[in-house]
Amino acid sequence: MLKLKGSHHPVISYRPIRPSDLEVLERIHCDLFPIRYETEFFHNVVHGRDIVSWGAVDRNRPNGHSDELIGFLTARIVMAKDSEVEDLLRFDSSKSDQTLVYILTLGVVDSYRNFGIASSLIREAIKYAASISNCRAVYLHVISYNNPAIHLYKKMSFQCVRRLHAFYFINGQHYDSYLFIYYVNGGRSPCSPLELVMLLVTYAKSGFKLAASRLWRNEDRKISKWAKCKESGSLLPTMQNKRIVIADSGAGGGCQFV
């Protein structure tokens, strides 16, 4: 594993990934990720076959390693209408050419972390997406236990819009995934924050009206039953109240959101 000497001052620069990076790119992926990628994937990256990529190098590395990859980001352009985030976009459905940039992999070797390399690579991807006039967003998946990556994307204003259960299957075990999205070129979610608030208010009002109408009907029934009971000289049974208590207790115990 690469180790930096205390006196070393990195000079980081960014460039496209090239065919000469194949061996190093494959090695870093193997070192960093629990997922194993096919050889074809790496060949597609270095030759730019339907994949765009950026590499980070340290121009101040000695011994002829100044152009060797220390970080990378790979991505693919996908059609918005065919993507899994189509429902998270507001766009004219008649325009079938609208696209998205999907980040495939992002990594930085251990000894070069905390130099802002990952952030810079993400900014390169965002800048690239923004340069495509019909691109509406950048999106990606993050495995649920990767807290540093989750923190990084949130810091860079990506929105965590969905949690996908058992999205990854690694070494015989399922893991959840978070879906993050960053809108560009006027792309936005189907509901703006103001529209979402208004929608919630509308739902709250309709729910209140429904609850009030049910309560009113229940009161009418109680009055009717009480009148009948008075005529027969007996009391109303208490079973209805027990059911309400049990239902409330069950609902409270079951609504655990983590």
Side-chain angles (χ1 to χ4, degrees), residues 213-227:
S213 66
R214 287 179 177 175
L215 181 62
W216 185 261
R217 287 198 299 271
N218 288 339
E219 290 298 325
D220 285 345
R221 291 196 193 99
K222 287 180 181 179
I223 292 173
S224 175
K225 290 179 180 179
W226 178 249

Side-chain angles (χ1 to χ4, degrees), residues 194-245:
L194 178 59
E195 290 169 334
L196 184 59
V197 171
M198 294 301 294
L199 186 63
L200 290 173
V201 170
T202 301
Y203 278 136
K205 285 182 177 179
S206 63
F208 177 77
K209 289 179 180 178
L210 180 61
S213 66
R214 287 179 177 175
L215 181 62
W216 185 261
R217 287 198 299 271
N218 288 339
E219 290 298 325
D220 285 345
R221 291 196 193 99
K222 287 180 181 179
I223 292 173
S224 175
K225 290 179 180 179
W226 178 249
K228 291 180 180 178
C229 288
K230 286 184 68 177
E231 293 174 2
S232 61
S234 62
L235 294 176
L236 285 174
T238 59
M239 182 62 70
Q240 180 68 21
N241 287 336
K242 286 184 179 180
R243 276 201 291 266
I244 291 174
V245 172

Side-chain angles (χ1 to χ4, degrees), residues 107-121:
V108 178
V109 299
D110 288 345
S111 55
Y112 278 91
R113 292 182 181 174
N114 300 316
F115 284 103
I117 296 172
S119 300
S120 295
L121 289 166

Side-chain angles (χ1 to χ4, degrees), residues 18 23 30 40-41 56 68 72 77 87 98 133 139 152 160 173 179 182 193 200 209 214 240 246 254:
R18 303 188 289 249
E23 183 180 344
C30 185
E40 182 183 5
F41 167 75
E68 184 175 301
F72 56 85
I77 298 175
D87 62 316
Q98 298 195 62
S133 60
Y139 76 104
L152 172 63
C160 184
Q173 186 170 349
L179 181 63
Y182 184 101
L200 290 173
K209 289 179 180 178
R214 287 179 177 175
Q240 180 68 21
I246 293 170

Side-chain angles (χ1 to χ4, degrees), residues 104-162:
L104 298 166
T105 60
L106 168 66
V108 178
V109 299
D110 288 345
S111 55
Y112 278 91
R113 292 182 181 174
N114 300 316
F115 284 103
I117 296 172
S119 300
S120 295
L121 289 166
I122 294 169
R123 279 192 287 269
E124 290 292 329
I126 292 173
K127 184 168 65 175
Y128 172 76
S131 71
I132 304 172
S133 60
N134 63 340
C135 183
R136 293 294 172 261
V138 179
Y139 76 104
L140 64 131
H141 297 93
V142 178
I143 199 165
S144 57
Y145 61 73
N146 192 346
N147 293 321
I150 292 169
H151 175 74
L152 172 63
Y153 287 115
K154 287 182 176 180
K155 186 178 71 172
M156 299 196 68
S157 300
F158 278 74
Q159 299 177 37
C160 184
V161 293
R162 194 168 285 164

